[in-house]
Amino acid sequence: MTADAAASSAATAGSAASPQRTRVVIVGAGPAGLTVANILRGASVDCVVLETESREFIEQRPRAGFLEEWAVRALEGRGLADRLLANAGVHTECEFRLAGERHRFPYADVSGHRHYVYPQPLLVTDLVREYADVRGGDIRFGVRDVEPDGIDTDRPWVTYTDARTGERVRVDCEFIAGCDGARGVTHTRMPPEHVTVARHDLGVGWLALLAEAPPSSDCVVLGIHPRGFAGHMARSPQVTRYYLECPPGDDPENWPYERVWAELHERLAADGAPPLIEGPLIEKRVLAMHNYVVEPMAYGRLFLAGDSAHLLAPIGAKGMNLAIHDALLLADALVAYCGKDDDSGLRGYSAACLRRVWQYQEFSQWLSEVFHGTSSGDPFRAGTSVARLRRALVSPAAAIGFAELFMGKDTDY
Ligand code: FAD
């Protein structure tokens, strides 16, 4: 069913008086929700996806770009990676720049795993197309005021307002998958007495930039500099993502074109480095660099997946990978329950996800100190953070530990 047809059929068929019925309502059509939806649809488990934005919007929203190899292989195993494998770039190394020197780190040699560079909007486009156009799944865009309810019963439901008709629609279900990201509603409906929300503020801001310019290096470049961290990440042959550490809550208007490029040139300077290729800045915003984890990730019939359950500042390129990890576990658990009445996956879901979540959080915190210690103004932090990086660059044992976490390999400790 197309998005528009689904939206209008929802509006006609559904109202508070005549609820619709499905097995799983998935709130949010990001990487997590769409992965769950595709796997359920592939296993003939009835589901409905609700998304506040339009299809065009989510297919263009720029965000992540790096997928870990295990995630790509898992998507491939579900028939969800054809276009990704045909079009993604493959990265095997990154480069640290420190005190004017370049240090290549060949993480694929060390860990046996690679990164796939595939912009999140392309992955979302592929997953929507597969779910809605190929597998005929029900996805409703532009919904308003989504409200999950009855999550502590075995017949929960979700209501929403159809934006075009203004009608309130109710969908009865057995499970709700809360995949609506950090600003969504589902995680706020977990009863506070049953969950802990662990938070960590990194104490810095990052100016996130997309430049209409080809990459200036064949790999990710991570600049450690007394003026602040700077990062360079390829997105496509035409577009490159850059990051600049800035004060928390800084105004992007404080960063005109000339200042951005002057800081990038200075912070990423190193002997023998190819010059940065400048280009117009097509995205410029300041990220709040904080992390959180909602624990447990499930209550009653509500299961959280992705950023709704845990947020990682984009240090180490982890968020989309974790969202996919949750989605795979949740979808498999729902298929087992719906097909074989086996609830073991659902019972173990939160604990299984959280093992990887906490490993990634710890890695992000470790790497944050490497990135930000030098510019902290604290000479002790500056010294220890550089020592931390030099150890990973020089000691084979330390390099393996770093590379395995960077690639998300064997992290279910
Ligand atoms: P989202 O992608 O946020 O999807 C949630 C969806 O739910 C959205 O479409 C939203 O519109 C919808 N929604 C919200 N509220 C509601 C509601 N009430 N009802 C219905 N729908 C709702 N991660 C990486 O792994 N690698 C990277 O390189 C990387 N770089 C990043 C760079 C930036 C600048 C940013 C901001 C993030 C980056 N991330 C990266 C993180 C990554 O983008 C997120 O972790 C990922 O999008 C999480 O996917 P998700 O499906 O959980 O949530």
Side-chain angles (χ1 to χ4, degrees):
M1 191 182 311
T2 66
D4 287 349
S8 56
S9 83
T12 340
S15 70
S18 59
Q20 302 167 37
R21 191 172 292 282
T22 190
R23 295 203 81 168
V24 183
V25 173
I26 299 163
V27 185
L34 291 166
T35 302
V36 173
N38 271 293
I39 295 172
L40 294 186
R41 187 80 190 153
S44 302
V45 174
D46 214 21
C47 60
V48 172
V49 182
L50 302 178
E51 167 60 50
T52 45
E53 303 290 353
S54 67
R55 180 169 181 167
E56 296 67 36
F57 182 86
I58 64 165
E59 289 183 348
Q60 284 166 23
R61 181 169 44 197
R63 278 190 178 173
F66 279 75
L67 281 164
E68 293 162 9
E69 184 157 358
W70 64 265
V72 174
R73 296 292 161 226
L75 291 172
E76 183 186 18
R78 315 304 176 111
L80 298 174
D82 291 354
R83 290 160 66 93
L84 189 166
L85 287 167
N87 297 304
V90 172
H91 278 204
T92 58
E93 299 188 316
C94 63
E95 180 173 313
F96 290 92
R97 293 193 184 162
L98 176 66
E101 291 174 0
R102 304 168 72 191
H103 302 270
R104 297 288 275 209
F105 184 76
Y107 53 77
D109 287 353
V110 179
S111 70
H113 280 220
R114 301 171 295 174
H115 262 138
Y116 286 75
V117 185
Y118 198 58
Q120 184 167 332
L122 294 187
L123 181 68
V124 165
T125 300
D126 295 351
L127 293 175
V128 173
R129 180 178 300 153
E130 181 67 25
Y131 174 71
D133 304 339
V134 178
R135 303 187 184 187
D138 183 341
I139 181 163
R140 304 170 189 185
F141 292 103
V143 301
R144 293 278 169 269
D145 303 322
V146 173
E147 196 53 62
D149 228 320
I151 58 173
D152 52 359
T153 73
D154 57 7
R155 283 277 177 264
W157 66 93
V158 180
T159 51
Y160 67 90
T161 301
D162 183 291
R164 283 180 305 166
T165 64
E167 273 188 61
R168 202 74 190 144
V169 181
R170 171 172 164 157
V171 188
D172 289 348
C173 55
E174 293 169 51
F175 297 97
I176 300 171
C179 306
D180 47 346
R183 300 209 173 122
V185 69
T186 55
H187 71 279
T188 67
R189 297 303 186 267
M190 305 278 276
E193 63 278 19
H194 288 283
V195 292
T196 305
V197 183
R199 296 182 189 278
H200 179 66
D201 193 316
L202 298 175
V204 296
W206 271 17
L207 183 68
L209 304 150
L210 275 180
E212 214 166 49
S216 302
S217 166
D218 58 353
C219 70
V220 167
V221 180
L222 305 161
I224 316 268
H225 195 278
R227 292 180 68 85
F229 169 78
H232 156 289
M233 285 120 209
R235 281 296 184 263
S236 72
Q238 300 82 28
V239 174
T240 306
R241 185 172 279 296
Y242 287 95
Y243 292 115
L244 277 170
E245 182 187 340
C246 64
D250 202 358
D251 184 346
E253 293 309 309
N254 292 335
W255 291 89
Y257 180 95
E258 294 72 21
R259 184 180 178 203
V260 164
W261 285 107
E263 284 294 325
L264 285 170
H265 282 292
E266 171 139 11
R267 297 186 197 182
L268 292 171
D271 288 344
L276 293 187
I277 306 166
E278 295 189 14
L281 301 170
I282 52 177
E283 188 196 58
K284 190 169 67 172
R285 63 197 175 110
V286 172
L287 304 179
M289 298 292 281
H290 63 93
N291 302 338
Y292 66 69
V293 178
V294 177
E295 192 166 4
M297 289 168 51
Y299 175 75
R301 292 295 181 109
L302 170 63
F303 292 81
L304 304 181
D307 280 11
S308 70
H310 39 72
L311 190 70
L312 277 110
I315 292 175
K318 292 295 187 191
M320 181 162 66
N321 294 283
L322 265 190
I324 290 169
H325 185 251
D326 294 349
L328 295 165
L329 292 184
L330 180 56
D332 286 348
L334 288 167
V335 169
Y337 181 87
C338 294
K340 293 181 275 184
D341 229 12
D342 172 2
D343 69 351
S344 57
L346 290 174
R347 282 190 284 108
Y349 168 71
S350 175
C353 292
L354 286 167
R355 278 196 287 278
R356 183 173 287 258
V357 169
W358 281 116
Q359 287 298 331
Y360 280 24
Q361 291 285 4
E362 194 280 334
F363 176 73
S364 168
Q365 198 183 21
W366 186 97
L367 198 55
S368 171
E369 190 55 21
V370 170
F371 288 171
H372 305 123
T374 299
S375 54
S376 65
D378 175 344
F380 191 85
R381 275 184 66 190
T384 52
S385 63
V386 170
R388 184 180 279 205
L389 176 59
R390 291 203 186 281
R391 187 168 62 239
L393 293 172
V394 171
S395 153
I400 291 172
F402 173 70
E404 289 196 350
L405 277 164
F406 195 31
M407 289 295 94
K409 191 186 166 202
D410 302 333
T411 53
D412 292 336
Y413 305 116

